[in-house]
Amino acid sequence: MLIVMITFLVLLAIGMPVAFAIGIAGVLFFIINPSVPYSIAVQKVVSSTQSLNMLSIPLFIFAGNLMNETGITKRLIKLSNTLVGHLPGHLGQVSCVLSTLMGGVSGSANADAAMECRVLGADMVKSGYSKGWSAAINGVSSLIVATIPPSMGLIIYGSVGDVSIGKLFVAGLIPGMLMCAALMTAVHVSAKKRGYKPAREKRSSFGEIIKAFVESLWALMFPVILIVGIRMGIMTPAESGAFAAVYALFIGFFVYKELNIKRLVECLKRSVRDIGVIMLIVMISNIFGYGITYENVPRKLAQLLVGVTSNKFIMLTLIIILLAFAGMFVETTVVALLMTPILLPVVMSVGIDPVHFGVLMMTVVTGGIMTPPVGIALYTTSEIMECKPQETAREAIPFYVAILAVIMIIAFIPQVSMFLPNLLY
């Protein structure tokens, strides 16, 4: 597996697409081990698509793209501006609140970052914000989506690790709110220092807030319905994805009436492309995962880490460093697929709850999309805002600090993520 892993990293380094790098490295395991039949590689690719929980991924991707076509995003921006328009760097604050609200709609951090740069970016520059600062907050605030349901990362972690997706969804709510608060504080301090003034001097009136809230009610109800539906056994995670798609179609055609056949066709094309990319990685990763299991990597790593320390907090610190490093070089979905079966037995062996670890893991790993050298969202936001990635990364330092503080709180105060699951389950 060491040879396989080195091959994988070399292929990534020379610029090979992630799915093919995983596939070639995975097949290499079967070449090195001729006693293992090649037919298993094909079986693993096919079997990875046979999970009902995995069915929720394409359904939620489709639903998220639909939501962006229905006018929900526009209404959520208005609600966010109504709530925080009186604060310094108000558009940065809007970005934080919008990511928290959009977490229940898009489920994808990179999609959220790109959408916010396109929607808020031009107004940020007009308001006097630097392009790097604007790209930084739009990108880093999208990390909130990692924990707010329906997070794609939590669905993948739950499917691969056989952990309750319903519990993971509930567990992610408080950490997501905490991340929003931490980033809003960082924006407030940074914007005040730079002289980024608020849009208005006074807070919005109670009537304005209620009006904006009512207009956004259909979007705000969405994650609540999902959690209640899964918790009460009305629908499984896969069925909740189907419900999400139907819900989005209903809102688009009959409530806001902003969705038409032409926009629906474009949405379908975009969704098929997004689903194809993610599911190809999911399928090919199963070849790689077989080698990990065959070589007993989880047990050996557990023995190694327990040999270093049996203190779960020290072990969590080591794992956070490992995940942060992995997230800097490898796409979030891939890290979740490859590392979950390796690390889950390790953390469970020292008494760490798998639900708590899932929220922590996906928060840390998703952070990699905004860190050099391979951060997808870092390059996406920089390109949209027309600035250098180096400038974006430099301007994002206060926001990185805020996210790191939240990660430490989630890691060392388990009740932050476990309070709601323990209360509801």
Side-chain angles (χ1 to χ4, degrees):
M1 281 309 297
L2 183 61
I3 295 171
V4 170
M5 186 61 74
I6 291 171
T7 303
F8 170 59
L9 293 175
V10 169
L11 292 174
L12 278 183
I14 62 175
M16 181 170 286
V18 173
F20 298 109
I22 296 172
I24 292 170
V27 169
L28 181 61
F29 171 81
F30 291 87
I31 296 173
I32 296 171
N33 294 275
S35 60
V36 183
Y38 284 105
S39 59
I40 291 177
V42 180
Q43 290 169 8
K44 287 295 173 183
V45 170
V46 175
S47 65
S48 63
T49 65
Q50 307 304 302
S51 166
L52 272 177
N53 282 342
M54 282 293 184
L55 181 60
S56 59
I57 294 175
L59 289 169
F60 275 122
I61 290 172
F62 178 46
N65 284 331
L66 278 173
M67 292 284 188
N68 288 333
E69 295 289 342
T70 59
I72 280 181
T73 303
K74 184 168 60 179
R75 288 163 176 82
L76 290 178
I77 290 172
K78 183 179 178 181
L79 174 61
S80 303
N81 205 20
T82 303
L83 292 171
V84 297
H86 61 285
L87 298 175
H90 71 285
L91 288 173
Q93 304 286 7
V94 167
S95 178
C96 297
V97 176
L98 183 60
S99 288
T100 308
L101 298 175
M102 283 298 294
V105 175
S106 71
S108 167
N110 192 49
D112 181 80
M115 179 274 296
E116 291 194 17
C117 275
R118 290 190 183 99
V119 173
L120 300 175
D123 287 338
M124 285 179 157
V125 174
K126 285 179 186 175
S127 298
Y129 304 176
S130 76
K131 290 181 178 179
W133 191 89
S134 303
I137 187 55
N138 285 332
V140 177
S141 70
S142 72
L143 304 185
I144 299 171
V145 176
T147 62
I148 299 288
S151 161
M152 291 296 111
L154 291 180
I155 293 172
I156 291 171
Y157 171 86
S159 300
V160 174
D162 196 23
V163 181
S164 167
I165 293 175
K167 282 188 178 181
L168 287 167
F169 279 2
V170 173
L173 287 172
I174 293 178
M177 303 294 181
L178 191 61
M179 213 180 301
C180 177
L183 284 174
M184 287 180 71
T185 302
V187 169
H188 183 91
V189 173
S190 177
K192 211 165 185 180
K193 196 174 180 181
R194 292 164 173 265
Y196 296 162
K197 295 181 180 180
R200 54 178 178 272
E201 294 181 5
K202 295 181 180 180
R203 295 173 182 266
S204 300
S205 67
F206 182 71
E208 287 175 320
I209 294 173
I210 292 297
K211 183 181 177 183
F213 181 82
V214 169
E215 288 180 2
S216 307
L217 193 59
W218 287 98
L220 300 174
M221 282 172 59
F222 178 59
V224 176
I225 294 172
L226 286 184
I227 291 172
V228 171
I230 294 172
R231 170 65 188 90
M232 296 185 69
I234 298 171
M235 50 190 170
T236 65
E239 290 167 348
S240 69
F243 164 79
V246 174
Y247 184 87
L249 285 169
F250 175 77
I251 291 174
F253 279 120
F254 302 110
V255 180
Y256 295 149
K257 299 179 181 178
E258 293 190 19
L259 187 65
N260 54 41
I261 299 299
K262 184 180 178 182
R263 297 179 76 173
L264 176 60
V265 170
E266 287 301 315
C267 184
L268 281 166
K269 288 179 181 177
R270 189 163 57 251
S271 298
V272 167
R273 186 171 59 249
D274 294 344
I275 291 164
V277 170
I278 292 175
M279 293 311 295
L280 179 62
I281 294 173
V282 169
M283 291 188 296
I284 299 298
S285 294
N286 227 24
I287 305 175
F288 204 101
Y290 178 81
I292 290 170
T293 306
Y294 186 88
E295 292 288 333
N296 278 323
V297 173
R299 183 175 60 81
K300 291 174 183 175
L301 184 62
Q303 290 173 345
L304 175 65
L305 287 173
V306 171
V308 173
T309 179
S310 58
N311 184 301
K312 68 179 182 180
F313 294 114
I314 296 176
M315 187 173 289
L316 267 182
T317 303
L318 293 174
I319 289 174
I320 287 170
I321 294 169
L322 172 65
L323 289 173
F325 183 76
M328 289 170 67
F329 293 93
V330 185
E331 202 265 335
T332 304
T333 305
V334 177
V335 177
L337 287 165
L338 299 184
M339 299 301 285
T340 298
I342 296 175
L343 294 176
L344 195 53
V346 176
V347 297
M348 290 176 68
S349 70
V350 292
I352 297 171
D353 190 286
V355 174
H356 169 218
F357 180 68
V359 173
L360 175 64
M361 176 178 175
M362 293 321 304
T363 304
V364 175
V365 170
T366 307
I369 69 170
M370 272 303 290
T371 53
V374 194
I376 298 172
L378 177 67
Y379 292 102
T380 301
T381 55
S382 300
E383 183 178 340
I384 294 171
M385 294 303 301
E386 298 178 350
C387 61
K388 292 182 179 180
Q390 297 93 318
E391 182 187 351
T392 301
R394 186 173 61 251
E395 297 276 26
I397 290 173
F399 311 132
Y400 291 149
V401 172
I403 294 294
L404 181 61
V406 173
I407 288 171
M408 292 297 104
I409 291 171
I410 296 171
F412 302 124
I413 309 177
Q415 279 304 106
V416 169
S417 53
M418 294 308 297
F419 174 73
L420 285 179
N422 290 338
L423 187 68
L424 298 176
Y425 281 85

